[in-house]
PDB file of all heavy atoms in Angstrom:
ATOM      1  N   ALA A  82     -16.559 143.683  51.751  1.00 97.00           N
ATOM      2  CA  ALA A  82     -16.889 144.704  50.756  1.00 97.00           C
ATOM      3  C   ALA A  82     -16.993 146.086  51.361  1.00 97.00           C
ATOM      4  O   ALA A  82     -17.359 147.035  50.662  1.00 97.00           O
ATOM      5  CB  ALA A  82     -18.204 144.346  50.059  1.00 97.00           C
ATOM      6  N   GLY A  83     -16.691 146.218  52.655  1.00 96.00           N
ATOM      7  CA  GLY A  83     -16.804 147.505  53.311  1.00 96.00           C
ATOM      8  C   GLY A  83     -18.241 147.845  53.659  1.00 96.00           C
ATOM      9  O   GLY A  83     -19.177 147.095  53.357  1.00 96.00           O
ATOM     10  N   TYR A  84     -18.417 149.014  54.275  1.00 97.00           N
ATOM     11  CA  TYR A  84     -19.764 149.432  54.664  1.00 97.00           C
ATOM     12  C   TYR A  84     -20.614 149.745  53.436  1.00 97.00           C
ATOM     13  O   TYR A  84     -21.729 149.241  53.294  1.00 97.00           O
ATOM     14  CB  TYR A  84     -19.676 150.655  55.576  1.00 97.00           C
ATOM     15  CG  TYR A  84     -20.978 151.010  56.248  1.00 97.00           C
ATOM     16  CD1 TYR A  84     -21.578 150.135  57.146  1.00 97.00           C
ATOM     17  CD2 TYR A  84     -21.615 152.226  56.001  1.00 97.00           C
ATOM     18  CE1 TYR A  84     -22.770 150.444  57.768  1.00 97.00           C
ATOM     19  CE2 TYR A  84     -22.805 152.556  56.619  1.00 97.00           C
ATOM     20  CZ  TYR A  84     -23.382 151.665  57.507  1.00 97.00           C
ATOM     21  OH  TYR A  84     -24.567 151.983  58.129  1.00 97.00           O
ATOM     22  N   ALA A  85     -20.059 150.555  52.531  1.00 98.00           N
ATOM     23  CA  ALA A  85     -20.804 150.905  51.327  1.00 98.00           C
ATOM     24  C   ALA A  85     -21.086 149.674  50.477  1.00 98.00           C
ATOM     25  O   ALA A  85     -22.209 149.480  49.985  1.00 98.00           O
ATOM     26  CB  ALA A  85     -20.025 151.944  50.510  1.00 98.00           C
ATOM     27  N   GLY A  86     -20.085 148.834  50.303  1.00 98.00           N
ATOM     28  CA  GLY A  86     -20.266 147.635  49.502  1.00 98.00           C
ATOM     29  C   GLY A  86     -21.251 146.665  50.117  1.00 98.00           C
ATOM     30  O   GLY A  86     -21.996 145.981  49.401  1.00 98.00           O
ATOM     31  N   GLY A  87     -21.269 146.600  51.442  1.00 98.00           N
ATOM     32  CA  GLY A  87     -22.205 145.710  52.121  1.00 98.00           C
ATOM     33  C   GLY A  87     -23.648 146.123  51.907  1.00 98.00           C
ATOM     34  O   GLY A  87     -24.519 145.288  51.631  1.00 98.00           O
ATOM     35  N   ILE A  88     -23.922 147.427  52.028  1.00 98.00           N
ATOM     36  CA  ILE A  88     -25.283 147.907  51.803  1.00 98.00           C
ATOM     37  C   ILE A  88     -25.674 147.712  50.341  1.00 98.00           C
ATOM     38  O   ILE A  88     -26.771 147.245  50.024  1.00 98.00           O
ATOM     39  CB  ILE A  88     -25.416 149.384  52.205  1.00 98.00           C
ATOM     40  CG1 ILE A  88     -25.139 149.558  53.698  1.00 98.00           C
ATOM     41  CG2 ILE A  88     -26.810 149.910  51.865  1.00 98.00           C
ATOM     42  CD1 ILE A  88     -25.047 151.006  54.144  1.00 98.00           C
ATOM     43  N   ALA A  89     -24.747 148.058  49.441  1.00 98.00           N
ATOM     44  CA  ALA A  89     -25.040 147.912  48.011  1.00 98.00           C
ATOM     45  C   ALA A  89     -25.326 146.462  47.631  1.00 98.00           C
ATOM     46  O   ALA A  89     -26.151 146.188  46.755  1.00 98.00           O
ATOM     47  CB  ALA A  89     -23.869 148.448  47.193  1.00 98.00           C
ATOM     48  N   ALA A  90     -24.662 145.526  48.314  1.00 98.00           N
ATOM     49  CA  ALA A  90     -24.806 144.108  47.967  1.00 98.00           C
ATOM     50  C   ALA A  90     -26.217 143.583  48.193  1.00 98.00           C
ATOM     51  O   ALA A  90     -26.619 142.604  47.547  1.00 98.00           O
ATOM     52  CB  ALA A  90     -23.806 143.275  48.769  1.00 98.00           C
ATOM     53  N   VAL A  91     -26.962 144.205  49.091  1.00 98.00           N
ATOM     54  CA  VAL A  91     -28.301 143.682  49.403  1.00 98.00           C
ATOM     55  C   VAL A  91     -29.418 144.645  49.030  1.00 98.00           C
ATOM     56  O   VAL A  91     -30.586 144.353  49.294  1.00 98.00           O
ATOM     57  CB  VAL A  91     -28.416 143.324  50.909  1.00 98.00           C
ATOM     58  CG1 VAL A  91     -27.424 142.217  51.267  1.00 98.00           C
ATOM     59  CG2 VAL A  91     -28.208 144.533  51.801  1.00 98.00           C
ATOM     60  N   LEU A  92     -29.074 145.776  48.409  1.00 98.00           N
ATOM     61  CA  LEU A  92     -30.126 146.756  48.099  1.00 98.00           C
ATOM     62  C   LEU A  92     -31.205 146.157  47.205  1.00 98.00           C
ATOM     63  O   LEU A  92     -32.391 146.465  47.366  1.00 98.00           O
ATOM     64  CB  LEU A  92     -29.507 147.997  47.454  1.00 98.00           C
ATOM     65  CG  LEU A  92     -30.471 149.159  47.184  1.00 98.00           C
ATOM     66  CD1 LEU A  92     -31.138 149.621  48.474  1.00 98.00           C
ATOM     67  CD2 LEU A  92     -29.742 150.319  46.509  1.00 98.00           C
ATOM     68  N   ASP A  93     -30.823 145.301  46.279  1.00 97.00           N
ATOM     69  CA  ASP A  93     -31.821 144.688  45.404  1.00 97.00           C
ATOM     70  C   ASP A  93     -32.743 143.730  46.155  1.00 97.00           C
ATOM     71  O   ASP A  93     -33.829 143.385  45.651  1.00 97.00           O
ATOM     72  CB  ASP A  93     -31.134 143.924  44.259  1.00 97.00           C
ATOM     73  CG  ASP A  93     -30.547 144.851  43.209  1.00 97.00           C
ATOM     74  OD1 ASP A  93     -30.899 146.047  43.210  1.00 97.00           O
ATOM     75  OD2 ASP A  93     -29.725 144.390  42.403  1.00 97.00           O
ATOM     76  N   ASP A  94     -32.330 143.284  47.333  1.00 96.00           N
ATOM     77  CA  ASP A  94     -33.151 142.373  48.126  1.00 96.00           C
ATOM     78  C   ASP A  94     -34.160 143.108  49.005  1.00 96.00           C
ATOM     79  O   ASP A  94     -35.016 142.471  49.629  1.00 96.00           O
ATOM     80  CB  ASP A  94     -32.264 141.507  49.030  1.00 96.00           C
ATOM     81  CG  ASP A  94     -31.319 140.622  48.241  1.00 96.00           C
ATOM     82  OD1 ASP A  94     -31.697 140.203  47.130  1.00 96.00           O
ATOM     83  OD2 ASP A  94     -30.198 140.364  48.723  1.00 96.00           O
ATOM     84  N   VAL A  95     -34.051 144.418  49.078  1.00 98.00           N
ATOM     85  CA  VAL A  95     -34.952 145.210  49.921  1.00 98.00           C
ATOM     86  C   VAL A  95     -36.264 145.416  49.183  1.00 98.00           C
ATOM     87  O   VAL A  95     -36.296 146.001  48.095  1.00 98.00           O
ATOM     88  CB  VAL A  95     -34.308 146.568  50.276  1.00 98.00           C
ATOM     89  CG1 VAL A  95     -35.309 147.447  51.036  1.00 98.00           C
ATOM     90  CG2 VAL A  95     -33.048 146.359  51.100  1.00 98.00           C
ATOM     91  N   ASP A  96     -37.363 144.924  49.772  1.00 97.00           N
ATOM     92  CA  ASP A  96     -38.672 145.041  49.130  1.00 97.00           C
ATOM     93  C   ASP A  96     -39.627 145.913  49.930  1.00 97.00           C
ATOM     94  O   ASP A  96     -40.844 145.856  49.730  1.00 97.00           O
ATOM     95  CB  ASP A  96     -39.275 143.655  48.899  1.00 97.00           C
ATOM     96  CG  ASP A  96     -39.425 142.861  50.188  1.00 97.00           C
ATOM     97  OD1 ASP A  96     -39.109 143.393  51.281  1.00 97.00           O
ATOM     98  OD2 ASP A  96     -39.846 141.688  50.124  1.00 97.00           O
ATOM     99  N   THR A  97     -39.084 146.722  50.827  1.00 98.00           N
ATOM    100  CA  THR A  97     -39.897 147.637  51.616  1.00 98.00           C
ATOM    101  C   THR A  97     -39.771 149.055  51.059  1.00 98.00           C
ATOM    102  O   THR A  97     -38.899 149.352  50.240  1.00 98.00           O
ATOM    103  CB  THR A  97     -39.464 147.622  53.088  1.00 98.00           C
ATOM    104  OG1 THR A  97     -38.036 147.788  53.156  1.00 98.00           O
ATOM    105  CG2 THR A  97     -39.843 146.315  53.757  1.00 98.00           C
ATOM    106  N   GLU A  98     -40.634 149.938  51.526  1.00 98.00           N
ATOM    107  CA  GLU A  98     -40.639 151.333  51.080  1.00 98.00           C
ATOM    108  C   GLU A  98     -39.382 152.078  51.515  1.00 98.00           C
ATOM    109  O   GLU A  98     -38.865 152.926  50.782  1.00 98.00           O
ATOM    110  CB  GLU A  98     -41.883 152.019  51.649  1.00 98.00           C
ATOM    111  CG  GLU A  98     -42.067 153.461  51.272  1.00 98.00           C
ATOM    112  CD  GLU A  98     -43.307 154.065  51.923  1.00 98.00           C
ATOM    113  OE1 GLU A  98     -44.000 153.358  52.699  1.00 98.00           O
ATOM    114  OE2 GLU A  98     -43.586 155.252  51.662  1.00 98.00           O
ATOM    115  N   PHE A  99     -38.899 151.765  52.732  1.00 99.00           N
ATOM    116  CA  PHE A  99     -37.748 152.448  53.295  1.00 99.00           C
ATOM    117  C   PHE A  99     -36.621 151.460  53.567  1.00 99.00           C
ATOM    118  O   PHE A  99     -36.857 150.261  53.783  1.00 99.00           O
ATOM    119  CB  PHE A  99     -38.099 153.129  54.626  1.00 99.00           C
ATOM    120  CG  PHE A  99     -39.277 154.068  54.569  1.00 99.00           C
ATOM    121  CD1 PHE A  99     -40.173 154.125  55.631  1.00 99.00           C
ATOM    122  CD2 PHE A  99     -39.493 154.898  53.473  1.00 99.00           C
ATOM    123  CE1 PHE A  99     -41.248 154.997  55.605  1.00 99.00           C
ATOM    124  CE2 PHE A  99     -40.574 155.770  53.435  1.00 99.00           C
ATOM    125  CZ  PHE A  99     -41.459 155.814  54.505  1.00 99.00           C
ATOM    126  N   VAL A 100     -35.383 151.979  53.581  1.00 99.00           N
ATOM    127  CA  VAL A 100     -34.244 151.182  54.008  1.00 99.00           C
ATOM    128  C   VAL A 100     -33.450 151.992  55.021  1.00 99.00           C
ATOM    129  O   VAL A 100     -33.196 153.181  54.819  1.00 99.00           O
ATOM    130  CB  VAL A 100     -33.350 150.763  52.819  1.00 99.00           C
ATOM    131  CG1 VAL A 100     -32.770 151.976  52.082  1.00 99.00           C
ATOM    132  CG2 VAL A 100     -32.241 149.837  53.275  1.00 99.00           C
ATOM    133  N   ALA A 101     -33.096 151.359  56.116  1.00 98.00           N
ATOM    134  CA  ALA A 101     -32.282 152.019  57.140  1.00 98.00           C
ATOM    135  C   ALA A 101     -30.862 151.507  57.057  1.00 98.00           C
ATOM    136  O   ALA A 101     -30.628 150.320  56.813  1.00 98.00           O
ATOM    137  CB  ALA A 101     -32.847 151.747  58.532  1.00 98.00           C
ATOM    138  N   TRP A 102     -29.906 152.413  57.227  1.00 98.00           N
ATOM    139  CA  TRP A 102     -28.508 152.048  57.381  1.00 98.00           C
ATOM    140  C   TRP A 102     -28.190 152.169  58.869  1.00 98.00           C
ATOM    141  O   TRP A 102     -28.450 153.210  59.471  1.00 98.00           O
ATOM    142  CB  TRP A 102     -27.596 153.001  56.620  1.00 98.00           C
ATOM    143  CG  TRP A 102     -27.826 153.135  55.157  1.00 98.00           C
ATOM    144  CD1 TRP A 102     -28.829 152.574  54.417  1.00 98.00           C
ATOM    145  CD2 TRP A 102     -27.032 153.902  54.246  1.00 98.00           C
ATOM    146  NE1 TRP A 102     -28.710 152.932  53.098  1.00 98.00           N
ATOM    147  CE2 TRP A 102     -27.613 153.756  52.957  1.00 98.00           C
ATOM    148  CE3 TRP A 102     -25.890 154.688  54.384  1.00 98.00           C
ATOM    149  CZ2 TRP A 102     -27.089 154.379  51.827  1.00 98.00           C
ATOM    150  CZ3 TRP A 102     -25.371 155.309  53.256  1.00 98.00           C
ATOM    151  CH2 TRP A 102     -25.961 155.150  52.003  1.00 98.00           C
ATOM    152  N   LEU A 103     -27.617 151.125  59.443  1.00 98.00           N
ATOM    153  CA  LEU A 103     -27.293 151.162  60.868  1.00 98.00           C
ATOM    154  C   LEU A 103     -25.962 150.478  61.117  1.00 98.00           C
ATOM    155  O   LEU A 103     -25.777 149.317  60.748  1.00 98.00           O
ATOM    156  CB  LEU A 103     -28.394 150.477  61.697  1.00 98.00           C
ATOM    157  CG  LEU A 103     -28.239 150.556  63.214  1.00 98.00           C
ATOM    158  CD1 LEU A 103     -28.329 152.000  63.705  1.00 98.00           C
ATOM    159  CD2 LEU A 103     -29.295 149.697  63.912  1.00 98.00           C
ATOM    160  N   ASN A 104     -25.043 151.206  61.738  1.00 97.00           N
ATOM    161  CA  ASN A 104     -23.757 150.610  62.112  1.00 97.00           C
ATOM    162  C   ASN A 104     -23.954 149.494  63.116  1.00 97.00           C
ATOM    163  O   ASN A 104     -24.847 149.567  63.980  1.00 97.00           O
ATOM    164  CB  ASN A 104     -22.839 151.667  62.727  1.00 97.00           C
ATOM    165  CG  ASN A 104     -22.162 152.532  61.686  1.00 97.00           C
ATOM    166  OD1 ASN A 104     -22.448 152.440  60.508  1.00 97.00           O
ATOM    167  ND2 ASN A 104     -21.264 153.384  62.140  1.00 97.00           N
ATOM    168  N   ASP A 105     -23.092 148.491  63.058  1.00 97.00           N
ATOM    169  CA  ASP A 105     -23.223 147.375  64.001  1.00 97.00           C
ATOM    170  C   ASP A 105     -22.800 147.750  65.405  1.00 97.00           C
ATOM    171  O   ASP A 105     -23.044 147.004  66.360  1.00 97.00           O
ATOM    172  CB  ASP A 105     -22.447 146.150  63.507  1.00 97.00           C
ATOM    173  CG  ASP A 105     -20.945 146.358  63.472  1.00 97.00           C
ATOM    174  OD1 ASP A 105     -20.472 147.505  63.611  1.00 97.00           O
ATOM    175  OD2 ASP A 105     -20.205 145.357  63.286  1.00 97.00           O
ATOM    176  N   ASP A 106     -22.154 148.935  65.579  1.00 96.00           N
ATOM    177  CA  ASP A 106     -21.770 149.385  66.913  1.00 96.00           C
ATOM    178  C   ASP A 106     -22.667 150.513  67.404  1.00 96.00           C
ATOM    179  O   ASP A 106     -22.298 151.293  68.282  1.00 96.00           O
ATOM    180  CB  ASP A 106     -20.301 149.820  66.947  1.00 96.00           C
ATOM    181  CG  ASP A 106     -19.980 150.934  65.969  1.00 96.00           C
ATOM    182  OD1 ASP A 106     -20.883 151.351  65.214  1.00 96.00           O
ATOM    183  OD2 ASP A 106     -18.824 151.401  65.946  1.00 96.00           O
ATOM    184  N   ALA A 107     -23.880 150.606  66.836  1.00 97.00           N
ATOM    185  CA  ALA A 107     -24.869 151.594  67.264  1.00 97.00           C
ATOM    186  C   ALA A 107     -26.076 150.875  67.859  1.00 97.00           C
ATOM    187  O   ALA A 107     -26.546 149.880  67.309  1.00 97.00           O
ATOM    188  CB  ALA A 107     -25.304 152.453  66.081  1.00 97.00           C
ATOM    189  N   VAL A 108     -26.567 151.388  68.975  1.00 98.00           N
ATOM    190  CA  VAL A 108     -27.735 150.799  69.640  1.00 98.00           C
ATOM    191  C   VAL A 108     -28.862 151.827  69.614  1.00 98.00           C
ATOM    192  O   VAL A 108     -28.796 152.844  70.316  1.00 98.00           O
ATOM    193  CB  VAL A 108     -27.419 150.392  71.090  1.00 98.00           C
ATOM    194  CG1 VAL A 108     -28.650 149.773  71.741  1.00 98.00           C
ATOM    195  CG2 VAL A 108     -26.244 149.418  71.130  1.00 98.00           C
ATOM    196  N   PRO A 109     -29.888 151.607  68.806  1.00 98.00           N
ATOM    197  CA  PRO A 109     -30.958 152.595  68.677  1.00 98.00           C
ATOM    198  C   PRO A 109     -31.917 152.587  69.857  1.00 98.00           C
ATOM    199  O   PRO A 109     -32.209 151.535  70.430  1.00 98.00           O
ATOM    200  CB  PRO A 109     -31.672 152.160  67.395  1.00 98.00           C
ATOM    201  CG  PRO A 109     -31.462 150.677  67.352  1.00 98.00           C
ATOM    202  CD  PRO A 109     -30.095 150.442  67.926  1.00 98.00           C
ATOM    203  N   ALA A 110     -32.406 153.779  70.216  1.00 98.00           N
ATOM    204  CA  ALA A 110     -33.453 153.885  71.222  1.00 98.00           C
ATOM    205  C   ALA A 110     -34.738 153.277  70.660  1.00 98.00           C
ATOM    206  O   ALA A 110     -34.915 153.195  69.438  1.00 98.00           O
ATOM    207  CB  ALA A 110     -33.670 155.347  71.594  1.00 98.00           C
ATOM    208  N   PRO A 111     -35.672 152.858  71.526  1.00 98.00           N
ATOM    209  CA  PRO A 111     -36.872 152.161  71.037  1.00 98.00           C
ATOM    210  C   PRO A 111     -37.708 152.950  70.027  1.00 98.00           C
ATOM    211  O   PRO A 111     -38.358 152.348  69.174  1.00 98.00           O
ATOM    212  CB  PRO A 111     -37.663 151.899  72.324  1.00 98.00           C
ATOM    213  CG  PRO A 111     -36.608 151.806  73.391  1.00 98.00           C
ATOM    214  CD  PRO A 111     -35.574 152.816  73.002  1.00 98.00           C
ATOM    215  N   ASP A 112     -37.700 154.288  70.106  1.00 98.00           N
ATOM    216  CA  ASP A 112     -38.504 155.088  69.183  1.00 98.00           C
ATOM    217  C   ASP A 112     -37.680 155.634  68.021  1.00 98.00           C
ATOM    218  O   ASP A 112     -38.143 156.501  67.274  1.00 98.00           O
ATOM    219  CB  ASP A 112     -39.193 156.239  69.927  1.00 98.00           C
ATOM    220  CG  ASP A 112     -38.198 157.141  70.659  1.00 98.00           C
ATOM    221  OD1 ASP A 112     -36.978 156.866  70.614  1.00 98.00           O
ATOM    222  OD2 ASP A 112     -38.656 158.116  71.294  1.00 98.00           O
ATOM    223  N   TRP A 113     -36.460 155.133  67.850  1.00 98.00           N
ATOM    224  CA  TRP A 113     -35.563 155.587  66.781  1.00 98.00           C
ATOM    225  C   TRP A 113     -36.218 155.476  65.401  1.00 98.00           C
ATOM    226  O   TRP A 113     -36.297 156.453  64.658  1.00 98.00           O
ATOM    227  CB  TRP A 113     -34.281 154.746  66.842  1.00 98.00           C
ATOM    228  CG  TRP A 113     -33.352 154.857  65.676  1.00 98.00           C
ATOM    229  CD1 TRP A 113     -32.462 155.860  65.418  1.00 98.00           C
ATOM    230  CD2 TRP A 113     -33.182 153.901  64.605  1.00 98.00           C
ATOM    231  NE1 TRP A 113     -31.758 155.599  64.262  1.00 98.00           N
ATOM    232  CE2 TRP A 113     -32.178 154.406  63.747  1.00 98.00           C
ATOM    233  CE3 TRP A 113     -33.772 152.675  64.309  1.00 98.00           C
ATOM    234  CZ2 TRP A 113     -31.767 153.725  62.600  1.00 98.00           C
ATOM    235  CZ3 TRP A 113     -33.362 151.998  63.166  1.00 98.00           C
ATOM    236  CH2 TRP A 113     -32.368 152.520  62.329  1.00 98.00           C
ATOM    237  N   LEU A 114     -36.711 154.315  65.078  1.00 98.00           N
ATOM    238  CA  LEU A 114     -37.285 154.095  63.753  1.00 98.00           C
ATOM    239  C   LEU A 114     -38.586 154.874  63.582  1.00 98.00           C
ATOM    240  O   LEU A 114     -38.849 155.412  62.498  1.00 98.00           O
ATOM    241  CB  LEU A 114     -37.529 152.605  63.520  1.00 98.00           C
ATOM    242  CG  LEU A 114     -38.076 152.228  62.140  1.00 98.00           C
ATOM    243  CD1 LEU A 114     -37.166 152.732  61.029  1.00 98.00           C
ATOM    244  CD2 LEU A 114     -38.262 150.708  62.040  1.00 98.00           C
ATOM    245  N   ALA A 115     -39.375 154.983  64.617  1.00 98.00           N
ATOM    246  CA  ALA A 115     -40.645 155.708  64.519  1.00 98.00           C
ATOM    247  C   ALA A 115     -40.410 157.164  64.132  1.00 98.00           C
ATOM    248  O   ALA A 115     -41.091 157.710  63.250  1.00 98.00           O
ATOM    249  CB  ALA A 115     -41.398 155.630  65.846  1.00 98.00           C
ATOM    250  N   HIS A 116     -39.444 157.808  64.760  1.00 98.00           N
ATOM    251  CA  HIS A 116     -39.159 159.213  64.445  1.00 98.00           C
ATOM    252  C   HIS A 116     -38.638 159.360  63.013  1.00 98.00           C
ATOM    253  O   HIS A 116     -38.995 160.317  62.308  1.00 98.00           O
ATOM    254  CB  HIS A 116     -38.140 159.778  65.427  1.00 98.00           C
ATOM    255  CG  HIS A 116     -38.684 159.988  66.806  1.00 98.00           C
ATOM    256  ND1 HIS A 116     -39.835 160.706  67.049  1.00 98.00           N
ATOM    257  CD2 HIS A 116     -38.223 159.588  68.034  1.00 98.00           C
ATOM    258  CE1 HIS A 116     -40.077 160.741  68.361  1.00 98.00           C
ATOM    259  NE2 HIS A 116     -39.116 160.065  68.964  1.00 98.00           N
ATOM    260  N   LEU A 117     -37.809 158.422  62.574  1.00 98.00           N
ATOM    261  CA  LEU A 117     -37.270 158.506  61.220  1.00 98.00           C
ATOM    262  C   LEU A 117     -38.358 158.264  60.171  1.00 98.00           C
ATOM    263  O   LEU A 117     -38.421 158.961  59.148  1.00 98.00           O
ATOM    264  CB  LEU A 117     -36.129 157.501  61.039  1.00 98.00           C
ATOM    265  CG  LEU A 117     -34.859 157.776  61.849  1.00 98.00           C
ATOM    266  CD1 LEU A 117     -33.837 156.666  61.619  1.00 98.00           C
ATOM    267  CD2 LEU A 117     -34.243 159.130  61.487  1.00 98.00           C
ATOM    268  N   GLU A 118     -39.217 157.289  60.391  1.00 98.00           N
ATOM    269  CA  GLU A 118     -40.315 157.049  59.450  1.00 98.00           C
ATOM    270  C   GLU A 118     -41.233 158.258  59.374  1.00 98.00           C
ATOM    271  O   GLU A 118     -41.697 158.634  58.283  1.00 98.00           O
ATOM    272  CB  GLU A 118     -41.102 155.802  59.854  1.00 98.00           C
ATOM    273  CG  GLU A 118     -40.382 154.491  59.578  1.00 98.00           C
ATOM    274  CD  GLU A 118     -41.276 153.285  59.773  1.00 98.00           C
ATOM    275  OE1 GLU A 118     -42.345 153.416  60.409  1.00 98.00           O
ATOM    276  OE2 GLU A 118     -40.905 152.202  59.290  1.00 98.00           O
ATOM    277  N   ASP A 119     -41.503 158.893  60.504  1.00 98.00           N
ATOM    278  CA  ASP A 119     -42.357 160.083  60.502  1.00 98.00           C
ATOM    279  C   ASP A 119     -41.735 161.194  59.663  1.00 98.00           C
ATOM    280  O   ASP A 119     -42.441 161.937  58.970  1.00 98.00           O
ATOM    281  CB  ASP A 119     -42.586 160.575  61.927  1.00 98.00           C
ATOM    282  CG  ASP A 119     -43.499 159.652  62.735  1.00 98.00           C
ATOM    283  OD1 ASP A 119     -44.145 158.774  62.122  1.00 98.00           O
ATOM    284  OD2 ASP A 119     -43.559 159.814  63.969  1.00 98.00           O
ATOM    285  N   ALA A 120     -40.407 161.331  59.721  1.00 98.00           N
ATOM    286  CA  ALA A 120     -39.727 162.374  58.941  1.00 98.00           C
ATOM    287  C   ALA A 120     -39.865 162.115  57.445  1.00 98.00           C
ATOM    288  O   ALA A 120     -40.070 163.043  56.652  1.00 98.00           O
ATOM    289  CB  ALA A 120     -38.251 162.440  59.334  1.00 98.00           C
ATOM    290  N   LEU A 121     -39.774 160.860  57.034  1.00 98.00           N
ATOM    291  CA  LEU A 121     -39.944 160.546  55.622  1.00 98.00           C
ATOM    292  C   LEU A 121     -41.404 160.704  55.196  1.00 98.00           C
ATOM    293  O   LEU A 121     -41.688 161.134  54.071  1.00 98.00           O
ATOM    294  CB  LEU A 121     -39.436 159.135  55.320  1.00 98.00           C
ATOM    295  CG  LEU A 121     -37.970 159.061  54.844  1.00 98.00           C
ATOM    296  CD1 LEU A 121     -37.014 159.695  55.829  1.00 98.00           C
ATOM    297  CD2 LEU A 121     -37.564 157.627  54.558  1.00 98.00           C
TER     298      LEU A 121
END
């Protein structure tokens, strides 16, 4: 379904306040999510 279709396919299953999109060829630094949550 592509990248957009893949995220859309599971959006209804997300029951948290935030949702992150992450490419499968990206490796996040350990504080990646912390900085993003702080921004929101």
